[in-house]
Amino acid sequence: MDALRKWIREKRMISIKELGGDLSLSGEVRVEFQGYNEKKNGIRRRGNINASTRPDYAFDVEVNIMLDYHTERSWSSIRIEFDNDMGITSGTTGDIALEKAYFGGRMIDGETFNFDGELGRRNLSDIYDSKVEFSAIFDGALLRFNKAFESIGSYYVNLGVFLINDFSNHFGEVLEMGMLRIGNTGFYTKYAFINWKKHLSDPVENRRFNFANSQLQIGYQGAITKWNKYLKVYLAGLMNHLAKDLTFSDRVLNHKYRYAWYGGVSYGRILQAGDWAIDVNYQYVMAQAVPGFDSSGIGKGNAQAIGLYTTNLNGTGGATTSLNAVGETNFKGFSFDILYAITNNLTLLQNFEVSNNQTKTF
């Protein structure tokens, strides 16, 4: 232990130049305005006229600090987020999150085959591709395989194991594999599988994690040289293999709401001042297709933060009934994004989303 402590002390004194790597520091400052019009049975769900603590209009200030270090065959990455509400009486000053902290290394570095390993924290969406899932944190180990085949395409596999709850030794597994630039064209296909299931003593908690999802995505992406723009068209379908008949404390619906799909188009890319890009997509997500804590889709607003199986989104509280269950899924709607570069460093992002219940059975 004395030798280890001495090594750590000395390691902190070594300069980046001596380590033979590249260190980059970057950051961004954001000011956000969000406006909501959320109704249930024609009654507004936000603002001071309701029991909800969510406002009709919200203002945020956000700072992200990114630190990256690379050597020839190893790397590490850090991202710290400061995201606070604005306002003298409604504002906050202490909301800090460690969004990313991982390191990795290249174990095989070939001409057409690479094998990398990484360990630490980031979002699932940093690794895996979906419009309706992969919003949860990935705290775990990741293996990346990449193989290029001449005249066929580039094949890849991202295999991960991540921690869900260390008190119950609950781990999840996730896999994405795909073929890019199929036949030296812009066509691609991706398949992803994620398993959240663990047999738990609490029946409500069991339902919250009763998910093993498959997603298949096909699409085309490539540059349009005539206009110097970028085009992407995509379509994906998803199914929860473990869904059972949807059950509430007062009612069994005798139906599995386990499917989701989305499709859309992206055009343009941001390289310099004056550039713009848009993305338009349609999302259709049933109630049991994606776990609420991993849903990245439009959602329904859910101002009162009520879960699908429990009265609180985080899994606490009593069991819900068919009359008060909400959750983060059970929606269909459109999402529209446009990004414009005012200068090389200053950008404006506008997002508009509209959705309604996929089913009104509950």
Side-chain angles (χ1 to χ4, degrees):
M1 290 302 298
D2 290 339
L4 177 61
R5 293 188 185 98
K6 181 181 178 182
W7 181 84
I8 292 173
R9 287 196 302 268
E10 293 175 350
K11 192 77 170 177
R12 289 172 178 165
M13 301 298 291
I14 295 175
S15 69
I16 296 299
K17 183 178 180 180
E18 289 172 328
L19 285 173
D22 295 314
L23 180 70
S24 64
L25 174 65
S26 59
E28 58 185 7
V29 179
R30 297 181 181 181
V31 175
E32 301 174 353
F33 166 72
Q34 299 130 24
Y36 300 89
N37 181 13
E38 180 184 347
K39 293 182 180 180
K40 180 180 179 182
N41 299 326
I43 301 173
R44 292 172 56 191
R45 308 299 290 173
R46 293 172 180 260
N48 57 16
I49 64 173
N50 297 294
S52 168
T53 58
R54 307 281 183 96
D56 287 325
Y57 304 106
F59 299 84
D60 289 353
V61 61
E62 180 179 329
V63 172
N64 294 301
I65 299 174
M66 288 82 77
L67 187 68
D68 293 277
Y69 177 68
H70 290 265
T71 67
E72 184 178 355
R73 297 186 65 165
S74 63
W75 55 87
S76 62
S77 182
I78 299 170
R79 179 185 174 106
I80 300 175
E81 180 191 60
F82 302 80
D83 190 357
N84 285 262
D85 297 335
M86 300 176 74
I88 294 176
T89 58
S90 62
T92 58
T93 59
D95 293 339
I96 304 173
L98 181 62
E99 284 196 335
K100 183 186 294 184
Y102 69 89
F103 62 89
R106 174 147 293 181
M107 290 171 271
I108 299 177
D109 188 15
E111 292 185 4
T112 62
F113 176 74
N114 295 321
F115 175 32
D116 301 335
E118 296 176 341
L119 186 64
R121 163 176 291 188
R122 77 201 83 173
N123 273 22
L124 280 164
S125 60
D126 288 352
I127 313 164
Y128 305 100
D129 185 12
S130 179
K131 290 287 186 183
V132 298
E133 63 175 343
F134 301 139
S135 70
I137 288 177
F138 177 89
D139 281 333
L142 174 68
L143 297 177
R144 295 180 182 266
F145 305 86
N146 296 275
K147 171 65 178 175
F149 297 93
E150 187 176 358
S151 302
I152 298 177
S154 298
Y155 177 74
Y156 74 92
V157 177
N158 293 332
L159 176 64
V161 178
F162 58 96
L163 177 65
I164 299 173
N165 189 331
D166 55 6
F167 284 98
S168 56
N169 293 322
H170 189 177
F171 294 86
E173 303 84 28
V174 58
L175 163 76
E176 183 178 279
M177 62 177 119
M179 183 70 76
L180 310 178
R181 297 182 294 276
I182 298 175
N184 290 325
T185 68
F187 290 99
Y188 70 89
T189 182
K190 300 178 180 180
Y191 171 78
F193 177 81
I194 185 168
N195 176 42
W196 298 93
K197 180 64 178 176
K198 181 179 174 67
H199 293 286
L200 302 166
S201 57
D202 185 346
V204 175
E205 195 78 353
N206 255 332
R207 287 199 294 270
R208 285 190 72 224
F209 292 99
N210 201 42
F211 292 88
N213 293 355
S214 286
Q215 178 187 271
L216 179 64
Q217 181 181 167
I218 57 174
Y220 173 88
Q221 57 185 8
I224 303 176
T225 54
K226 182 178 180 180
W227 295 295
N228 193 28
K229 293 294 184 181
Y230 182 83
L231 175 69
K232 180 179 180 180
V233 182
Y234 53 90
L235 177 67
L238 181 147
M239 180 178 71
N240 174 17
H241 300 280
L242 299 183
K244 299 179 180 179
D245 288 346
L246 188 55
T247 302
F248 299 108
S249 59
D250 65 329
R251 185 180 175 192
V252 178
L253 297 185
N254 295 318
H255 189 79
K256 301 179 181 69
Y257 296 88
R258 62 179 178 176
Y259 297 105
W261 69 271
Y262 63 88
V265 58
S266 300
Y267 180 77
R269 56 182 173 179
I270 305 298
L271 297 174
Q272 59 188 1
D275 287 349
W276 56 272
I278 63 171
D279 178 81
V280 182
N281 64 81
Y282 179 79
Q283 302 172 17
Y284 185 95
V285 181
M286 293 184 173
Q288 296 169 286
V290 179
F293 49 81
D294 193 43
S295 176
S296 63
I298 300 169
K300 302 188 295 289
N302 197 359
Q304 293 181 310
I306 300 172
L308 180 63
Y309 298 112
T310 59
T311 53
N312 298 317
L313 271 177
N314 62 5
T316 62
T320 54
T321 69
S322 59
L323 299 177
N324 67 2
V326 184
E328 297 293 88
T329 51
N330 184 30
F331 65 87
K332 54 185 177 181
F334 287 93
S335 175
F336 176 85
D337 292 270
I338 182 167
L339 180 64
Y340 176 72
I342 302 171
T343 71
N344 287 347
N345 298 93
L346 183 63
T347 58
L348 175 67
L349 172 65
Q350 171 66 56
N351 167 255
F352 175 77
E353 296 177 337
V354 58
S355 70
N356 206 335
N357 283 1
Q358 178 271 321
T359 178
K360 297 183 179 180
T361 306
F362 62 94

